[in-house]
Amino acid sequence: MDRGNTYHERNDGRTGVRSSFLAFYSALRRWLHSRASSELLTVCFFVLLSGAFWLMLTLDRSYEQELRVPVRITDVPSNVVLTCSETDTLSVTVSDNGFALWTYIYGDRRPSIELPYASLDGSSAGSGRVATTDLRRQVTQRLMATTRLTSMKPEQLIFSYNYGERKRVPVRYSGRVMPDELRFISAVSYRPDSVTVYAAPRRLDSIQAVYTEPLNYVGVSDTLHIRATLQQLPEVKVVPAQVELTFATDVLTEESIDGVPIRGVNMPEGKRLRTFPARVSVRFVTGLSVYRNLRPTDFVVVADYNELQANPSEKCRISLRRVPKGISRPTLDFNEVDYLIEEDD
């Protein structure tokens, strides 16, 4: 019984769709044979025809257009390292009719130049150039006969190279990476943590690190992974050109650690400094993960004998000489203690 009902329902649905289609087809056919449709189609035809004439007349005029022409240096010897980019770009302004310019912009006639290394005007100083006349000739050869080259920037192409002089330098990030109010950046790691730079010896001596392009991340609340591009330095090739950075964050907490020993420094031979108390507490702000691994001996609190001699007093001043990495705003519970200087037996 259920199967029969389903079959009738399917048939009724198909019949309804077919009837609707036939009704629409009949209405469309009647409209196409009406006078209104004929007039509309005639108007549309003449509009399209006039648009085509207007487009042809417009494109037949002469225009100026700026084109980007990539220039690539090829066939570089194996013992030569280009410390500039292998590909540069010329900005050329050309004049021609709209049809030709359309081909340059949207077609397959976009000009590009490949310059063999052997054809470049190099020098022993590690730099060379491609003269203006050579560049103009190369660009003109790749344009259509009707196209006129009106201007070109830059006027000449400067390139730099060396014979493999290089060194490894560390990577550093530049810019702003700020965590949210309850966190701080606990560690920054780089992958790789150093890169190879190729340059002339005079430039290599001045490069101590390579920095990323400026970063801008605010309100970081979790570990942040970034793939960053390194800054391009003039006449310097950096390999690799990108690095991966990881900024680890931790929850800020204000804590203290007790039992930090006070040490006497600059004590004369045969003398020993005793302080009362012998140990102090240090308060600080740090991350939870750092705090879990802290020990009192990670902090160094000192009393300087030379200062006692210069400024005699009933109490001696104590100060924090060293704190572990990841600690901020460290303070002592007190800055002065009672003391006694004893002679060694």
Side-chain angles (χ1 to χ4, degrees):
M1 187 67 179
D2 292 339
R3 292 181 180 178
N5 289 340
T6 302
Y7 176 77
H8 286 301
E9 288 175 0
R10 290 178 179 174
N11 277 345
D12 291 343
R14 292 176 181 175
T15 302
V17 171
R18 185 177 180 184
S19 299
S20 300
F21 176 76
L22 290 176
F24 172 77
Y25 177 75
S26 298
L28 179 62
R29 188 174 180 182
R30 287 194 301 271
W31 183 82
L32 289 174
H33 286 83
S34 66
R35 182 175 180 179
S37 66
S38 299
E39 293 177 352
L40 179 61
L41 291 175
T42 301
V43 170
C44 291
F45 171 77
F46 281 105
V47 168
L48 291 174
L49 185 62
S50 61
F53 277 116
W54 172 84
L55 181 61
M56 292 180 64
L57 291 174
T58 301
L59 292 178
D60 195 46
R61 298 174 184 172
S62 181
Y63 299 93
E64 283 194 349
Q65 177 66 39
E66 184 178 287
L67 303 177
R68 309 288 287 178
V69 179
V71 180
R72 182 175 177 80
I73 300 174
T74 61
D75 302 327
V76 180
S78 58
N79 66 328
V80 174
V81 177
L82 290 176
T83 54
C84 62
S85 175
E86 294 182 2
T87 302
D88 209 333
T89 303
L90 297 175
S91 177
V92 301
T93 302
V94 296
S95 176
D96 207 335
N97 61 53
F99 292 103
L101 297 180
W102 182 280
T103 304
Y104 289 130
I105 299 172
Y106 301 106
D108 56 355
R109 291 297 302 270
R110 297 182 183 181
S112 61
I113 299 174
E114 290 189 353
L115 297 174
Y117 178 84
S119 67
L120 304 179
D121 180 17
S123 68
S124 59
S127 64
R129 66 187 181 88
V130 183
T132 303
T133 54
D134 294 334
L135 279 178
R136 281 184 169 271
R137 185 179 69 255
Q138 292 282 351
V139 173
T140 302
Q141 289 176 352
R142 286 157 178 80
L143 299 176
M144 289 184 283
T146 58
T147 305
R148 183 169 62 90
L149 177 62
T150 59
S151 67
M152 180 179 67
K153 295 180 181 180
E155 290 291 332
Q156 62 179 359
L157 179 64
I158 306 296
F159 68 97
S160 57
Y161 64 93
N162 72 6
Y163 294 101
E165 293 87 354
R166 64 189 183 275
K167 75 174 184 180
R168 299 283 293 183
V169 295
V171 178
R172 298 287 183 266
Y173 81 90
S174 65
R176 182 175 62 163
V177 179
M178 298 181 60
D180 61 23
E181 294 181 356
L182 300 178
R183 292 179 176 268
F184 76 109
I185 302 297
S186 59
V188 182
S189 61
Y190 304 85
R191 185 178 179 186
D193 60 359
S194 60
V195 293
T196 302
V197 292
Y198 295 84
R202 57 182 174 80
R203 289 285 285 141
L204 285 177
D205 293 340
S206 64
I207 300 173
Q208 303 304 322
V210 175
Y211 291 84
T212 66
E213 294 290 343
L215 307 177
N216 186 20
Y217 294 87
V218 179
V220 178
S221 60
D222 202 353
T223 301
L224 177 65
H225 300 280
I226 305 171
R227 186 168 184 83
T229 301
L230 299 177
Q231 293 181 7
Q232 296 296 315
L233 304 174
E235 299 182 1
V236 176
K237 182 175 183 178
V238 181
V239 180
Q242 291 184 326
V243 295
E244 294 179 357
L245 291 81
T246 300
F247 293 85
T249 62
D250 200 356
V251 178
L252 278 175
T253 180
E254 186 173 356
E255 299 288 348
S256 67
I257 192 164
D258 302 324
V260 178
I262 301 175
R263 305 179 186 180
V265 295
N266 297 319
M267 298 298 299
E269 186 176 352
K271 293 187 177 183
R272 183 175 68 244
L273 176 70
R274 294 182 61 186
T275 62
F276 306 95
R279 299 174 182 272
V280 293
S281 298
V282 182
R283 298 191 64 83
F284 50 85
V285 175
T286 188
L288 287 175
S289 60
V290 175
Y291 177 70
R292 294 190 188 103
N293 298 315
L294 287 178
R295 297 173 299 174
T297 53
D298 294 331
F299 297 81
V300 175
V301 178
V302 301
D304 194 338
Y305 180 82
N306 291 339
E307 185 177 343
L308 284 174
Q309 292 297 104
N311 302 288
S313 174
E314 294 181 356
K315 294 181 178 291
C316 69
R317 293 185 58 82
I318 59 175
S319 60
L320 269 168
R321 180 66 58 87
R322 188 187 70 199
V323 296
K325 186 177 180 180
I327 298 296
S328 62
R329 302 201 294 272
T331 57
L332 297 171
D333 280 353
F334 40 82
N335 296 320
E336 292 183 335
V337 294
D338 295 322
Y339 72 97
L340 179 65
I341 297 176
E342 298 179 334
E343 299 285 344
D344 289 338
D345 295 336

